[in-house]
């Protein structure tokens, strides 16, 4: 039985080891800097999101373009479109990480016919995530 607000993605007998889940594949904070360098080719396939504490999270550009506010920043005449870096001076690292996890969740399940699992949000995170979602229109 799963408690309210929690979702268990694996049955008890099939849970991955801690080493397998230490760096989830949907958020990669260790991408090489070369990905972000401008080599004259098309835009990088990743953008960098920077939290209030200067934590950096890389997000696939195609996922970022699904969010109205991020798309406007990346496709308009803004510094973010040139640098591929979006700063969130009022958003904590934990909130930004949760937003990125949600964007991957939304991308994965938006056209799915399968049963969609609950996206977990702890009560203490709710207000900050509501403000972030309102700002991003996601």
């Amino acid at each position: 039985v799963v408690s309210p607000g929690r979702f268990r993605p694996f049955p008890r007998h099939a849970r991955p080891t801690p080493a397998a889940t230490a760096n989830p594949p949907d958020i990669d904070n260790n991408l090489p800097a070369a990905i972000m360098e401008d080599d004259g080719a098309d835009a990088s396939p990743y953008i960098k999101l920077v939290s209030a504490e200067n934590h950096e999270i890389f997000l696939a550009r195609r996922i970022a373009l699904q969010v109205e506010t991020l798309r406007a920043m990346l496709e308009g005449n803004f510094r973010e479109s040139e640098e591929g870096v979006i700063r969130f001076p009022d958003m904590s690292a934990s909130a930004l990480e949760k937003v990125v996890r949600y964007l991957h969740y939304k991308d994965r399940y938006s056209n799915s016919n399968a049963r969609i699992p609950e996206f977990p949000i702890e009560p203490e995170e709710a207000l900050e995530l509501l403000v972030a979602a309102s700002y991003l229109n996601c």
Side-chain angles (χ1 to χ4, degrees), residues 33-94:
I35 289 176
M36 298 303 296
E37 291 178 2
D38 183 12
D39 59 0
D42 290 334
S44 169
Y46 294 93
I47 63 164
K48 185 189 310 183
L49 307 176
V50 182
S51 72
E53 303 92 349
N54 289 321
H55 289 254
E56 298 175 346
I57 299 176
F58 291 90
L59 176 64
R61 181 177 290 271
R62 70 167 190 83
I63 292 176
L65 292 174
Q66 296 173 19
V67 179
E68 183 179 327
T69 304
L70 299 180
R71 183 175 53 248
M73 291 176 173
L74 293 169
E75 293 182 342
N77 289 328
F78 297 102
R79 180 178 65 192
E80 292 85 356
S81 66
E82 295 173 14
E83 297 176 358
V85 176
I86 301 177
R87 290 170 177 77
F88 296 96
D90 298 324
M91 195 178 304
S92 70
S94 62

